[in-house]
Amino acid sequence: MKVIANDVPIEIEDSGEGANGEKRPVVLLIMGLGMQLIDWPDDIVNLLVAAGFRVIRHDNRDAGLSQRFDHIPQRSLLWQKIRFRLGLPVRASYSMQDMADDALGVLDALNIPQAHIIGASMGGMIAQRLVATYPERVKSLVSIMSSSGAQGLPLPKPEVMAALLSKPTDTRIEELVAHQLRIIRLIASPSEPLNIDEQTQHLRMALSRGGYYPKSFIRQILAIIADSDRAELLSRISCPALVVHGEDDPLIPMACGEDTARRISGAKFLPVQQMGHTFPPSFMQAMTEEIIPFLNDVEETE
């Protein structure tokens, strides 16, 4: 269903309260660059629900079934990258803070006063901003395969970045699926057993649901590049924080997660073996053994 969040129509899914309407603590899941709410694996949602949490997911602006921003003049990625390298401000169609305000607006629309915030990749960056700027609305932060955005951190492997920015030669669904599968192979850990049939089925569903919008992807990249002061904000975070990162991540190297944890007072850093920039079985084990117990500990100490 759609809600109006920060004056933007945002698509959400809500697992709801428990049986007989008992109140459950809320977990808000924020997904990453160009991704949709359905890109949170069902296994993650099901584990959280089984542990007693109400789980809310949403499509970020410019993704999935949420509002597109084609009405805003498109900025040139190449020119903005040149500005970035020259130390000039990057001009984006909207900011990461706008996206954090959207996430807060989802909580407002559902009359939720506080929530645990879990973000993956760009969603982790949005989550960091949400937690830093609205501390009264959050119980905890879990930042997964993300970065503080600080200068000097290692960059993605060149072949990974080139694949992300490349365009498929054909926009028929078979070519789009093949293009996305090539990217998944590049960003996954070499140790991860990829189920190509399952991945293909999911990609078909995602394309059918959310379509193919390369301009939206570029607008979100520009929002990331323009977010130059988030690292300084992280010292404001006072809630319990867990930073989770794959040891084999070729897109956002693990040093970026380590830097994030260092900048948040009291944050715990959790490296995950055999994890790239995906949710492999080792991450699902971490969900059961580390992340859900972390959330439960926060609930027990309130």
Side-chain angles (χ1 to χ4, degrees):
M1 71 174 185
K2 277 194 173 59
V3 299
I4 302 301
N6 191 28
D7 296 324
V8 178
I10 296 290
E11 182 73 15
I12 72 164
E13 285 194 7
D14 182 357
S15 70
E17 302 290 5
N20 303 317
E22 83 254 21
K23 293 289 183 182
R24 289 177 161 226
V26 175
V27 172
L28 178 68
L29 300 178
I30 308 177
M31 190 30 83
L33 174 64
M35 307 294 277
Q36 304 179 50
L37 64 84
I38 60 171
D39 291 311
W40 284 104
D42 288 341
D43 286 347
I44 290 178
V45 177
N46 293 339
L47 281 172
L48 289 166
V49 171
F53 293 95
R54 176 184 176 184
V55 180
I56 297 165
R57 298 176 286 173
H58 68 282
D59 289 331
N60 290 313
R61 62 168 63 195
D62 239 353
L65 302 180
S66 291
Q67 180 179 314
R68 299 284 167 179
F69 279 71
D70 293 329
H71 57 287
I72 297 179
Q74 183 73 28
R75 305 285 185 176
S76 163
L77 177 59
L78 176 60
W79 177 238
Q80 296 307 316
K81 285 172 70 177
I82 291 171
R83 289 180 62 87
F84 177 75
R85 288 170 183 161
L86 293 174
L88 298 173
V90 174
R91 294 168 179 161
S93 299
Y94 44 78
S95 68
M96 297 295 285
Q97 188 63 54
D98 290 328
M99 301 177 84
D101 291 345
D102 294 345
L104 181 73
V106 169
L107 298 180
D108 288 341
L110 298 174
N111 296 312
I112 295 170
Q114 281 192 317
H116 300 277
I117 311 298
I118 301 180
S121 195
M122 182 188 76
M125 302 171 195
I126 296 169
Q128 292 164 23
R129 276 204 165 268
L130 174 60
V131 170
T133 52
Y134 302 104
E136 73 282 0
R137 301 298 300 277
V138 302
K139 293 184 173 184
S140 71
L141 166 68
V142 180
S143 180
I144 303 167
M145 51 179 147
S146 193
S147 175
S148 69
Q151 292 186 358
L153 290 173
L155 300 173
K157 290 185 177 180
E159 64 270 22
V160 173
M161 204 65 222
L164 276 179
L165 296 177
S166 66
K167 293 183 179 180
T169 56
D170 192 323
T171 56
R172 289 178 296 182
I173 191 164
E174 293 299 331
E175 290 300 320
L176 293 175
V177 167
H179 176 72
Q180 291 296 321
L181 282 173
R182 286 192 289 272
I183 293 173
I184 290 170
R185 288 190 180 100
L186 283 172
I187 65 175
S189 167
S191 304
E192 180 181 352
L194 290 175
N195 187 318
I196 299 303
D197 288 340
E198 284 186 5
Q199 293 283 355
T200 298
Q201 183 179 0
H202 177 78
L203 289 169
R204 284 178 172 277
M205 178 176 63
L207 286 165
S208 174
R209 178 183 184 272
Y212 174 62
Y213 291 92
K215 289 184 178 180
S216 296
F217 186 79
I218 297 301
R219 286 191 288 267
Q220 291 190 351
I221 287 180
L222 288 174
I224 293 172
I225 297 173
D227 196 32
S228 60
D229 64 342
R230 191 177 68 259
E232 285 69 39
L233 280 180
L234 298 188
S235 63
R236 298 184 188 177
I237 295 175
S238 57
C239 69
L242 177 64
V243 179
V244 184
H245 216 104
E247 293 184 353
D248 299 334
D249 195 328
L251 179 58
I252 302 181
M254 190 170 71
C256 299
E258 291 172 327
D259 182 74
T260 301
R262 279 196 298 268
R263 290 173 182 272
I264 300 173
S265 177
K268 178 182 178 182
F269 181 70
L270 175 65
V272 180
Q273 295 179 346
Q274 299 182 339
M275 176 180 171
H277 206 75
T278 57
F279 296 110
S282 57
F283 176 81
M284 302 311 301
Q285 182 178 353
M287 276 291 301
T288 300
E289 297 179 358
E290 299 283 351
I291 298 175
I292 289 176
F294 166 77
L295 299 175
N296 285 331
D297 286 346
V298 174
E299 286 296 316
E300 290 173 4
T301 56
E302 282 195 332

